[in-house]
Amino acid sequence: MHDKSIRVAVNGYGVIGKRVADAVTLQDDMQLAGIADTAADWRLRVANTRGYRVFAATSTAHKSMSNAGMMLSGHLEDLLDEVDIVVDCTPKLVATGNVALYRKRGLRFIVQGGEPHALTGHSFVAESNFDSAVGRSETRVVSCNTTSIVRTLGALKRTGLLKKARGTLLRRATDPWESHQSGIMNTLVPEQRIPSHQGPDAQSVDPDFDVVTMAVKVPETLAHLHYWNVELSRAADREEVLAAFHSSTRIAMVRLDEGLTGINSVKELMADLKRPNDNLYEVALWEDLVTIQNNELFYAYMVDNQAIVIPETIDAIRALTGLLTGSQKSIAKTNAALGIGSALY
């Protein structure tokens, strides 16, 4: 295939969609054909200024977007006429109503973690099940928290260290840009069941995981924080565990004793590294918190809910379209394009 051979549409230009669109433009084997949305505000004006072709996702939206002075290239159906694959980044459960259109047109498509696993019958994390997605017509990139769980437990599993895992998630209340509209103050809100949904969701990617998660919503918006207790399958020292985590290029070690003492300081590091949108694509795992007592492993890490699924989505595009049929080649290519490495600095 020649360069830029895969034409990608992004339907939904919100927190995830705009980052996916930007990431697609950085790949040398795919092109962004356009983005679709219903909004008529600053977000779509930015898309116009970036030179992205903007399409209205509905007829009603076409009228309101045109009246707002947006430069439109047509309707969603016009965009779908031109593409090989659609990445649906619309709000939770909206994609469920869109897939009939994609299937009718014979288009490959990717949905995000807010949709149910049953919608596509396949859930994706590149390091764990890239191969099973190759040649499929559709998949679901799992949520930010589930992605982090599969990355970290998968790294332990591949080195024969994982027996069972129990995790507690401190979940940000809402996305930063929407914190003026929703969120919580002066309270903590437990998820209404144990296990929380992330554990079963991780098992949709790897059914072998013995994992239970508990979650609580906290009054902040920057990122999620996880605490994990893992029963190891055999005796191992700290260095072996760290080596397992280092084996994943999408787990990055950070240290409390270097001043990275909170999720805010890690986000500031991303800004200093001039990452687009301060994106932390990796799981940021605190190396100096990794502790082993007998056969129990304890660790904590940070999840950037706005960025962690972006490289997974790019790899899913390659898997579905057959651009690359090997996980390591695709992961390396995506990492290079996005500036992802095994160390942040």
Side-chain angles (χ1 to χ4, degrees):
M1 288 184 175
H2 57 82
D3 286 351
K4 302 286 187 181
S5 57
I6 294 299
R7 299 163 299 173
V8 181
V10 175
N11 188 11
Y13 195 70
V15 167
I16 300 299
K18 67 182 180 181
R19 288 169 170 81
V20 170
D22 290 347
V24 167
T25 65
L26 296 174
Q27 311 306 309
D28 65 10
D29 53 358
M30 55 188 75
Q31 60 176 298
L32 180 66
I35 61 104
D37 207 288
T38 60
D41 60 17
W42 59 270
R43 290 167 294 173
L44 278 298
R45 295 189 188 281
V46 171
N48 277 161
T49 62
R50 288 180 181 268
Y52 296 166
R53 300 170 70 218
V54 176
F55 295 78
T58 68
S59 297
T60 301
H62 191 281
K63 182 177 181 180
S64 61
M65 294 167 81
S66 296
N67 289 342
M70 300 292 171
M71 294 181 286
L72 297 178
S73 296
H75 296 264
L76 173 62
E77 290 79 3
D78 301 320
L79 174 60
L80 298 183
D81 285 339
E82 303 178 15
V83 303
D84 304 296
I85 188 168
V86 184
V87 182
D88 193 304
C89 300
T90 54
K92 184 177 181 179
L93 300 181
V94 173
T96 298
N98 293 336
V99 298
L101 176 62
Y102 306 149
R103 287 170 177 158
K104 181 179 180 180
R105 289 171 167 263
L107 287 171
R108 293 180 172 87
F109 65 87
I110 297 164
V111 299
Q112 298 296 314
E115 310 307 313
H117 170 77
L119 183 63
T120 63
H122 188 272
S123 293
F124 182 92
V125 176
E127 290 178 327
S128 289
N129 67 343
F130 182 100
D131 293 347
S132 66
V134 173
R136 288 182 58 89
S137 59
E138 55 198 61
T139 191
R140 164 182 172 263
V141 172
V142 295
S143 72
C144 51
N145 282 315
T146 304
T147 297
S148 75
I149 293 168
V150 176
R151 282 188 194 172
T152 52
L153 297 187
L156 296 171
K157 179 184 176 182
R158 288 190 295 273
T159 49
L161 291 171
L162 178 64
K163 183 175 181 181
K164 65 181 183 180
R166 305 292 183 256
T168 299
L169 289 62
L170 305 178
R171 300 183 58 226
R172 62 96 180 96
T174 189
D175 287 323
W177 83 277
E178 292 181 316
S179 59
H180 64 294
Q181 297 177 340
S182 59
I184 59 175
M185 291 290 289
N186 280 342
T187 190
L188 301 175
V189 182
E191 192 153 326
Q192 295 183 9
R193 68 180 186 272
I194 298 174
S196 60
H197 70 274
Q198 294 88 3
D201 201 24
Q203 291 168 328
S204 75
V205 178
D206 191 333
D208 293 336
F209 286 158
D210 183 345
V211 57
V212 177
T213 51
M214 299 177 288
V216 57
K217 187 183 293 185
V218 298
E220 61 84 25
T221 64
L222 284 179
H224 307 299
L225 181 66
H226 286 220
Y227 273 88
W228 283 88
N229 174 12
V230 171
E231 183 178 343
L232 299 173
S233 60
R234 56 178 172 80
D237 59 22
R238 189 171 181 274
E239 286 66 33
E240 186 175 4
V241 168
L242 291 175
F245 288 139
H246 277 294
S247 70
S248 168
T249 59
R250 292 182 179 172
I251 299 173
M253 296 298 181
V254 295
R255 295 189 62 88
L256 296 164
D257 62 12
E258 292 184 348
L260 297 170
T261 53
I263 58 176
N264 58 317
S265 53
V266 178
K267 283 294 282 185
E268 186 70 7
L269 171 61
M270 295 304 100
D272 287 348
L273 293 175
K274 301 190 185 304
R275 287 281 187 91
N277 300 104
D278 303 344
N279 288 334
L280 170 63
Y281 301 113
E282 303 91 334
V283 174
L285 193 149
W286 275 280
E287 182 174 6
D288 36 1
L289 278 182
V290 173
T291 301
I292 298 175
Q293 293 184 0
N294 299 319
N295 268 20
E296 285 187 287
L297 165 65
F298 303 88
Y299 59 92
Y301 61 74
M302 168 185 167
V303 180
D304 185 342
N305 54 286
Q306 300 182 110
I308 190 173
V309 301
I310 305 307
E312 308 301 325
T313 303
I314 297 299
D315 289 326
I317 292 171
R318 290 202 180 93
L320 294 190
T321 60
L323 271 174
L324 288 173
T325 56
S327 61
Q328 291 307 309
K329 288 184 178 179
S330 180
I331 289 169
K333 194 173 183 66
T334 301
N335 288 355
L338 298 182
I340 299 170
S342 57
L344 292 178
Y345 56 97

